Amino acid sequence: MITGSLLILALPLLVFTLAASSVLWRFYLQQLEADIAAQALLMADTVAPSLAAVATGHLPDGAFSPEAIASRWRRRSDARITIADARGVVRASSVGEGVGAPIDDTRRPGMRTALSGRSNATVWRSPNFVNEDTMYVNVPAWYGGQVTGVVRVAHTLTSLRKRVAQLRQTLLVAVLLYTLAIGLCTVAFAASIVRPAERLQRDAERIAGGDLSHRVEVRGPEEITQLARTLNHMTSRLEVLEGLRRRYVSDVSHELRTPLTAIRSMAETILKYGDSDTSLRERYLPRILTQTDRLARMVTQLLDLAQIESGHYVPALTPLSLAEVLDEVALTNAARAADLGVALDVRVSDRALSVRGDRDRLVQVFMNLVDNALRYTPRGGAVTLSALSTRGHVEVTVADTGQGVPPEHLPHLFDRFYRVETARSPLAGGTGLGLAIVRQIIESHGGRIKVTSSHGKGTLFLIELPGASPSPLATRSSNPPTTESQE
Ligand SMILES: Nc1ncnc2c1ncn2[C@@H]1O[C@H](COP(=O)(O)OP(=O)(O)O)[C@@H](O)[C@H]1O
Ligand SMILES: [Mg+2]
């Protein structure tokens, strides 16, 4: 990324530098040519009369001789002056070269062209000056309408080249320094992002490795601190879940062990003393059966609960008549209620009342609630199932006139394995899982469950289910039941 951005930055600057130095070079060259041409023109005008005199042999008053002009320019180091007459014979040279000889255009171009009346300028690499470009400007000397000779000014381009090269070098150094500075800034910036990200990754690996108590330091750029906070939040939740899982496993083990221990000790007693005391069999075998039933029920309920809680359970929601469900539950429990001397009634305000739900699961819910109500209601009491519709919801209540639940137990009633009194005849078969399952089923239907109870007077479970019509139905609600205080 850094290399890429630097290239993008540096390349245009480099191209610009090269283009600028080439433009400058051409500009300087034009300027030089104009300068030299002006000088040459001036000299040609000055020397024209004396060149005209070469033919007549008479030098007019105040005319400068070619020698005088050439010697005046001798002091200028990088300009060389050559003056030839109309016949093409060199009359004077600032470097004292080839005087008296005819001009030689193979070595110094353009002089003969100027003799025919045309000024010209060329850049030429003279064999005399190795590797040194020279600009030649040839100007005809006019006098009395005649070309009387030619003045040539030669100027090497060495110093010009040096100047442009220096400029280019300065620009290149500037580009280099600039690119370097930007590069360093980019590296520093990238490091400020990458280093915290690497730190975060190490932390995440540590947490993934099982160290759930580890927390990430919240430091660095905004994006990183946000990520760190999220990671910490996630880790906290994992830690809580891990704690719940441990507690769950230990609860389950404990709950399974109690009946197993009882079964084992009763079986052992029968085995040891059963022959001598035959009444032991009659006493213990039914209890063994009851405990085995309870164990089996517990396992079934645990599997049920696990299935519902796994999140894979989505109730098959179909519109169904609530009255029918409640009637079925009442009918199934009618004989038992009669045995117990408890009145079991169904009161539905509207027979057409319907909800969307999984029929079997809803039957399971009310079976559980009625089972509890019958169990904790003494002879002569009443258990009432009722339903009414309110604001798109359907409210179902299961009320009894039983012993009730002491208020301090109410917040825990829906917890797994929670029973108000553990001493309350374990042989009666309670597992403490029934209400946990009830809550899970109701919530998976997008409903809610509440419990109110007054000790000694009775208990009331209130269930709120989404109605079947108009049917804006949540498949899964996150609302906890009101009495629930944890998880
Ligand atoms: N209608 C009720 N009246 C009094 N106590 C109740 C009633 N329903 C539930 N409980 C209490 O809540 C506890 C949990 O009920 P539940 O989860 O169904 O377990 P279980 O019925 O297997 O004991 C019961 O043990 C009981 O103490
Ligand atoms: Mg129960």
Side-chain angles (χ1 to χ4, degrees):
M1 187 189 84
I2 294 168
T3 322
S5 60
L6 285 187
L7 272 181
I8 287 171
L9 199 80
L11 272 179
L13 284 175
L14 275 178
V15 169
F16 168 77
T17 304
L18 296 180
S21 57
S22 122
V23 166
L24 259 171
W25 168 251
R26 248 174 289 147
F27 170 73
Y28 277 145
L29 216 58
Q30 270 171 13
Q31 212 175 36
L32 186 71
E33 187 185 323
D35 281 359
I36 296 175
Q39 288 168 9
L41 219 62
L42 215 63
M43 275 186 262
D45 283 351
T46 317
V47 86
S50 66
L51 281 176
V54 169
T56 59
H58 165 70
L59 191 68
D61 283 346
F64 287 93
S65 71
E67 292 80 7
I69 296 282
S71 72
R72 282 177 90 89
W73 283 87
R74 199 161 291 156
R75 264 174 266 126
R76 279 198 59 142
S77 59
D78 44 4
R80 298 189 308 277
I81 317 298
T82 309
I83 300 170
D85 62 22
R87 287 168 303 158
V89 176
V90 176
R91 308 297 313 181
S93 159
S94 66
V95 290
E97 199 186 34
V99 178
I103 50 178
D104 177 7
D105 261 5
T106 54
R107 291 172 66 197
R108 307 173 184 85
M111 255 184 135
R112 286 202 186 279
T113 315
L115 270 182
S116 66
R118 275 178 283 139
S119 300
N120 62 82
T122 40
V123 172
W124 195 63
R125 181 158 294 192
S126 158
N128 286 359
F129 307 97
V130 182
N131 279 337
E132 208 178 21
D133 291 343
T134 308
M135 177 178 280
Y136 290 93
V137 175
N138 300 292
V139 172
W142 290 92
Y143 190 73
Q146 299 269 317
V147 175
T148 59
V150 59
V151 172
R152 184 184 59 201
V153 179
H155 200 289
T156 70
L157 302 182
T158 313
S159 64
L160 202 65
R161 257 197 207 295
K162 253 188 220 149
R163 209 183 317 163
V164 172
Q166 252 167 17
L167 225 122
R168 188 171 47 212
Q169 209 176 335
T170 310
L171 276 174
L172 283 177
V173 167
V175 166
L176 199 79
L177 286 179
Y178 177 66
T179 311
L180 217 71
I182 297 284
L184 283 177
C185 287
T186 313
V187 167
F189 175 70
S192 77
I193 294 282
V194 169
R195 217 167 296 133
E198 279 173 351
R199 181 167 51 82
L200 218 59
Q201 193 217 344
R202 275 196 301 277
D203 284 333
E205 261 164 21
R206 189 167 158 190
I207 293 163
D211 186 358
L212 290 181
S213 63
H214 184 64
R215 288 296 175 275
V216 177
E217 204 183 325
V218 179
R219 176 162 66 83
E222 173 68 17
E223 293 83 353
I224 295 289
T225 55
Q226 203 132 5
L227 193 59
R229 243 176 260 125
T230 310
L231 200 64
N232 281 341
H233 184 60
M234 188 184 79
T235 314
S236 303
R237 295 198 57 169
L238 277 175
E239 216 180 1
V240 169
L241 280 176
E242 177 62 13
L244 285 176
R245 191 187 64 83
R246 290 225 177 93
R247 212 191 76 198
Y248 182 61
V249 170
S250 92
D251 281 357
V252 169
S253 316
H254 176 80
E255 293 294 330
L256 290 177
R257 205 173 52 209
T258 314
L260 278 174
T261 311
I263 291 169
R264 190 181 192 286
S265 67
M266 287 187 282
E268 213 171 22
T269 309
I270 293 172
L271 209 60
K272 265 191 193 162
Y273 310 108
D275 287 345
S276 51
D277 185 353
T278 46
S279 71
L280 278 177
R281 291 187 186 209
E282 271 166 56
R283 266 168 57 203
Y284 285 154
L285 279 178
R287 291 193 195 178
I288 288 177
L289 274 182
T290 318
Q291 288 291 13
T292 314
D293 282 349
R294 183 163 170 262
L295 268 178
R297 203 161 44 240
M298 201 184 283
V299 170
T300 311
Q301 284 180 324
L302 278 173
L303 287 175
D304 245 18
L305 206 55
Q307 196 216 341
I308 299 168
E309 282 180 343
S310 71
H312 297 311
Y313 169 69
V314 178
L317 299 176
T318 46
L320 50 94
S321 157
L322 202 58
E324 243 173 56
V325 170
L326 297 183
D327 281 347
E328 181 183 326
V329 172
L331 208 66
T332 314
N333 286 281
R336 186 175 153 216
D339 275 355
L340 291 168
V342 174
L344 178 58
D345 289 316
V346 176
R347 284 187 207 143
V348 179
S349 64
D350 175 5
R351 297 300 299 177
L353 212 59
S354 66
V355 292
R356 283 176 157 268
D358 182 335
R359 192 173 198 283
D360 290 346
R361 288 299 191 189
L362 288 183
V363 167
Q364 190 182 0
V365 163
F366 295 112
M367 284 295 277
N368 263 309
L369 293 174
V370 169
D371 174 65
N372 283 346
L374 287 177
R375 195 163 342 151
Y376 301 114
T377 304
R379 187 167 287 274
V383 173
T384 313
L385 296 169
S386 59
L388 56 100
S389 93
T390 54
R391 293 172 277 112
H393 291 286
V394 172
E395 277 182 14
V396 190
T397 54
V398 177
D400 64 57
T401 58
Q403 62 193 54
V405 180
E408 69 270 21
H409 293 288
L410 281 177
H412 308 291
L413 223 56
F414 295 96
D415 293 357
R416 286 185 210 97
F417 302 119
Y418 195 86
R419 271 161 295 170
V420 173
E421 288 164 51
T422 41
R424 192 191 276 162
S425 177
L427 290 179
T431 59
L433 290 170
L435 287 180
I437 292 174
V438 164
R439 187 188 73 179
Q440 287 294 336
I441 292 174
I442 295 300
E443 284 184 2
S444 73
H445 277 75
R448 290 193 298 175
I449 182 162
K450 295 182 212 174
V451 60
T452 47
S453 182
S454 54
H455 201 29
K457 285 188 186 153
T459 308
L460 184 138
F461 285 91
L462 174 78
I463 292 152
E464 212 177 80
L465 285 170
S469 53
S471 90
L473 190 67
T475 44
R476 209 181 171 99
S477 163
S478 54
N479 296 338
T482 41
T483 54
E484 191 34 68
S485 64
Q486 62 188 74
E487 281 192 3

